Amino acid sequence: MPLQPDIVDQIVRIIGEERRVLIKKTDLLSYGYDASFGFFVPDLVCQVKCVEEVSEIIKLANREKIPITPRGNASGLSGGALPIEGGIVIDVSLWNDVLEIHRDDMIAVVSPGVITADIDRAAQKVGLMYPPDPSSSNVSTIAGNIAENSGGPRGLKYGVTKDYVLGLQVVTPEGHIIRTGGRTIKNVTGYDLTKLIVGSEGTLGIITEAILRLIPRPQATISLMAVFDDIVQAGYAITNVLTSGILPSKIEFMDQASIWAVESYRPMGLPINAEAVLFIELDGHPLAIRDEADYVYKLMQKTGALRVQKAETSDQEEKMWKARKLVSPAVARHKPTKISEDATVPRSQIPSFLKRLREIKDKFDIELVVFGHAGDGNLHPNILCDQRNKEEMKKVEKAVAAIFEAALDLGGTLSGEHGIGLMKKSFMPMEFDQFSLEMMKRIKQAWDPNNIMNPGKIFPKPGDRLVLR
Amino acid sequence: MEAQENVYLKKAADLTYDCVRCGYCLPSCPTYLTMKTETQTPRGRINLVRMAAEGHITVNELSVPIDLCLGCRACEHVCPSNIQYGKMLELVKGSIRYHKKQTSSPLRRFCEGFVFKHVFPSKSIMNKLGSFLWVYQKSGVKKVVHMKPLRYLLPKKLELFDKGLTEAKPPFRKNDGRRYPSISERPALKVAFFTGCVMEAVFYRINLLSIRLLQKVGCEVVVVNDQTCCGALQLHAGEEELAKEMAKRNIEVFEKEEFDYIVNSAGGCGAMLKEYDGLFEGDPEWLERARHFKQKVADISVILNKLGLKLERVLSYRVTYQPSCHMTNVQKVTKEPEALIQSIEGIEFIRLNKPNLCCGSGGIYNLIHFEESMNILNAKMSDIKDTKANVIVTTNPGCLLQMKVGIAKENLHDHIKAVHLVELLAEACEVTENRWI
Ligand SMILES: Cc1cc2nc3c(=O)[nH]c(=O)nc-3n(C[C@H](O)[C@H](O)[C@H](O)COP(=O)(O)OP(=O)(O)OC[C@H]3O[C@@H](n4cnc5c(N)ncnc54)[C@H](O)[C@@H]3O)c2cc1C
Ligand code: SF4
Ligand code: SF4
């Protein structure tokens, strides 16, 4: 239902700048998607730039019961930023004026629209690091990262977004401006609302500022590559490293299909007869990591690696990681649609999960490539298909369900970092029993009595199912 | 006509399926940085193309964001999903063009058709234009811009472009058909020189210097007779058929003799020449000829770098380089120009913070969308000022003009000058356009 003209007028008055209130059809259609599937057109887009604006608009929406969908740069893979019930999209991507690094407190204070990689770049200038490094960090906003609790390769050693959020300013679904946490590392005063907001996928309020923890930047890195002729063996190699007393900063994985794709796209000298390749990065003091690298080198050989290679120069190191980065474009060339799942299993179950994925690939006769952050059990099985081929997509829907089933059987979870949003909500009852889900719903109800904040996400309605067509 | 409009649109929509909507292209898009809505991003435009093909919006509605796209193709360069944005854009423009031909007034249609069909490709008009500009510059006669063919193109703020125009072509001098011998002891290559229409008319001197430099590194240079413009301006305006005609003519005249390379010093033209094969899908004979042609096309920086230019003078400039978008994103020539600049003794080279961001010139974008173009230029100028450079080097006439406009706009002529790479190199090896004629 389109918004009443007087509501639009009120919004324009709150924002004060007409160009930040979008109602033209071509504009509205441009805020109907994110990096997942699904397309839903909002009634209005509001490009906010300060907390008062947000608070006033939410109050208005709450009064009039207009759905609100928060949005960063729409790189989300689970449909979190899709306005599935129409209403107002609150776009925070232009709001990036604050990016302060407080070196002595080792914290950063940032506006919601600041790009993730810019925070780390600013920290680097004073010898600090903001570790969470989702592959999308050059485009994703910090608010989107916080809302999805994003992770990245460095998560293996350093943890994910939630481990770095110390405090937040949030506008609640009733329009109140609240603060959670603070500027200290330790803080046990009251309930930990910060942790509740992190990963809440925009369903509990709008994040308007964040205080982030920074850490000293490691002095050096060394990278290794290990080649295996058996994918399951590569899984064991990961487990062996992680139980050896050494914690690499990254362990990334590529299966044979990804290797082939890269080699036929841009030859990088990867062994095409191998079944799997591991890329391992160690970071820390130069002398310490040299020893560790030797140890890991031998460990890989012992676990049956066909070949192990240590990058001796920064050029070699760069080339090694470039090969890993090329997987995405390389597989994209193959088929137009890529369904990127992020079901995650406990580390010890990586070999079994790889086995199950191989079975799923054969059973449903789909093109499945597996690559990603293997070290933390967050493998990314990617299904390559063609959205326009309805028959194929039916198979894919079934395969996705089977992947989730496998992950849960092995004690894992539906999503390691992309979130539930719209895409995975129908699978929630597979992971949670009725009462566990019910407690989550009660929290939502308490925060958002009129259910205006990102409605239709996370919690399934009866009859919901995954549709990719 | 109606059918043709849809044929183009449908073909364009087919290419949109390569987009996975990851948003990786957003930070590289100049119109997103300045216009700040998703509608003006590559991802947004790709989505709207599909929306138009599916009938959710009209071709007219689609034409607004498409017209505002610079066609710089920075998005294509960074896209992890290999989007063929340039190809899609051409098809969409073709569709819009057909649509507008049906709906726009006959007079406007005539004017536009006239400019693309007769002004740019016509050596004699462009020559006259060049000569006119020359007389104008030499004599200081104002109001050149009220010349008929230009009046349509230059609606406002002409003074700035005026200030940007440098040495146009002196009258009564014909370059076509001339042969310039190698002047090196070791004749290395026989090359054909592609002059380009805007380049030859407005920056004639740079073309001459290019030839001199080529001679100096051991090339015999032939300015092939009857060549015409590359067709990029036409293609980017949706006139695919006209562009094809030009491509055919160029392919034909350059086939008449065997050359090692077909050299040009305009990044945008070079890119177009290198994509001639894209025009002839489904036409095996011309496709083959276009492929043969494009293999020989090379930017002058590639040839000079390959053959090694002997530099004689120390130049103590602080230099930055604004790469032409199509040089980077289409020709993928990035290292050679920088290497050449850095090889000059005395030069301090400072890379721009965002070298791959378009300067806002975009063919004739700066004439049609003046305000938008100037906003993009502002971002570029602030990056340039941060480098504290006193020379901006470019590799394409459009960019060169735009940089000169930027300098004029910010009143920086006393501190910064904009030059073509060829001019800087010529200065460093004491080559002038008049030696060795
Ligand atoms: C190619 C690619 C690679 C990726 N790699 C990774 C990866 O390695 N690791 C990873 O974790 N993710 C990855 N992602 C997913 C995605 O980039 C992250 O989820 C990211 O955090 C989304 O940020 P965004 O700014 O695009 O947010 P959006 O997609 O715009 O929004 C995401 C969610 O955040 C909510 N939201 C946005 N702003 C606010 C706010 N101010 N207040 C409250 N809620 C808000 C939205 O409602 C939505 O639910 C990848 C995505 C792509 C396309
Ligand atoms: S980078 Fe490519 S795939 Fe990603 S949104 Fe842009 S065009 Fe689409
Ligand atoms: S061609 Fe340039 S202006 Fe157009 S969408 Fe791509 S990056 Fe933006």
Side-chain angles (χ1 to χ4, degrees), chain A residues 94-141:
Chain A
L94 301 189
W95 182 359
N96 55 9
D97 53 334
V98 179
L99 170 48
E100 298 166 5
I101 305 288
H102 298 267
R103 192 179 174 185
D104 295 343
D105 290 340
M106 302 225 296
I107 58 167
V109 180
V110 296
S111 304
V114 171
I115 302 294
T116 315
D118 287 341
I119 302 172
D120 189 40
R121 272 192 281 266
Q124 182 169 20
K125 286 192 187 139
V126 294
L128 296 174
M129 173 160 89
Y130 175 68
D133 59 342
S135 322
S136 52
S137 66
N138 275 315
V139 48
S140 67
T141 64

Side-chain angles (χ1 to χ4, degrees), chain A residues 19 22 25-27 29-31 33-35 39 47 71 73-75 93-94 135-136 138-139 265 328-329 332-333 336 387-388, chain B residues 14 17-18 20-24 26-27 32 34-39 41 43-44 47-48 50-51 56-57 61-62 80-82:
Chain A
R19 49 179 292 203
L22 315 177
K25 194 166 169 195
T26 42
D27 286 328
L29 288 171
S30 303
Y31 290 78
Y33 53 78
D34 66 1
F39 190 83
Q47 302 186 292
R71 181 186 187 274
N73 263 335
S75 68
S93 64
L94 301 189
S135 322
S136 52
N138 275 315
V139 48
Y265 176 51
S328 264
R333 247 175 27 131
Q387 210 181 330
R388 287 163 288 191
Chain B
D14 275 343
Y17 283 91
D18 289 333
V20 297
R21 295 173 171 166
C22 64
Y24 278 25
L26 264 57
Y32 176 53
T34 51
M35 300 176 203
K36 300 187 163 62
T37 63
E38 179 77 23
T39 324
T41 64
R43 183 172 65 172
N47 173 57
L48 288 176
R50 208 186 299 175
M51 291 289 123
H56 302 292
I57 55 169
E61 285 172 301
L62 175 64
S81 197
N82 304 303

Side-chain angles (χ1 to χ4, degrees), chain A residues 158-180:
Chain A
Y158 295 102
V160 295
T161 303
K162 73 171 173 208
D163 301 305
Y164 295 88
V165 184
L166 296 175
L168 293 171
Q169 184 190 57
V170 177
V171 176
T172 70
E174 293 169 298
H176 305 304
I177 302 170
I178 64 163
R179 285 213 160 264
T180 75

Side-chain angles (χ1 to χ4, degrees), chain A residues 34-35 69-77 80-81 92 112 134-136 140-141 143-145 147-148 150-152 201-202 205-207 373 417-418 454, chain B residues 22 24:
Chain A
D34 66 1
T69 309
R71 181 186 187 274
N73 263 335
S75 68
L77 290 167
V92 299
S135 322
S136 52
S140 67
T141 64
N145 282 185
E148 298 289 8
S150 300
E201 305 191 21
I206 309 263
I207 298 156
H373 327 318
E417 54 186 23
H418 297 163
N454 212 353
Chain B
C22 64
Y24 278 25

Side-chain angles (χ1 to χ4, degrees), chain A residues 202-367:
Chain A
T203 61
L204 298 181
I206 309 263
I207 298 156
T208 51
E209 188 174 271
I211 303 170
L212 306 170
R213 182 163 76 95
L214 304 174
I215 61 167
R217 204 169 192 91
Q219 293 173 16
T221 58
I222 295 185
S223 298
L224 298 108
M225 180 176 93
V227 179
F228 294 85
D229 60 358
D230 178 39
I231 190 169
V232 178
Q233 200 62 30
Y236 287 119
I238 296 170
T239 319
N240 283 353
V241 176
L242 294 174
T243 50
S244 72
I246 290 172
L247 185 52
S249 44
K250 301 176 185 169
I251 303 183
E252 296 280 301
F253 169 89
M254 269 167 76
D255 72 352
Q256 191 168 43
S258 346
I259 298 170
W260 283 1
V262 169
E263 284 304 306
S264 68
Y265 176 51
R266 234 170 264 168
M268 299 296 290
L270 295 175
I272 48 168
N273 51 354
E275 255 208 17
V277 173
L278 294 181
F279 297 96
I280 303 172
E281 183 195 88
L282 299 152
D283 72 353
H285 190 279
L287 294 178
I289 56 176
R290 209 181 318 147
D291 271 4
E292 289 183 349
D294 287 344
Y295 190 84
V296 171
Y297 191 98
K298 287 188 196 120
L299 195 63
M300 287 292 133
Q301 282 180 325
K302 252 196 271 170
T303 326
L306 286 181
R307 197 174 99 204
V308 194
Q309 193 187 325
K310 193 162 77 181
E312 301 289 349
T313 63
S314 60
D315 270 1
Q316 282 178 9
E317 188 167 21
E318 210 170 282
K319 192 169 169 204
M320 224 177 235
W321 287 101
K322 175 129 195 250
R324 163 69 185 85
K325 279 211 184 100
L326 280 175
V327 180
S328 264
V331 299
R333 247 175 27 131
H334 212 55
K335 278 206 157 173
T337 313
K338 193 175 90 179
I339 314 264
S340 172
E341 283 310 335
D342 72 325
T344 303
V345 295
R347 285 170 179 167
S348 62
Q349 300 295 334
I350 294 170
S352 318
F353 193 39
L354 287 169
K355 237 184 272 171
R356 292 280 292 263
L357 288 173
R358 196 157 54 185
E359 287 159 18
I360 291 171
K361 176 178 176 162
D362 294 341
K363 176 167 174 205
F364 293 97
D365 184 28
I366 48 163
E367 286 199 46

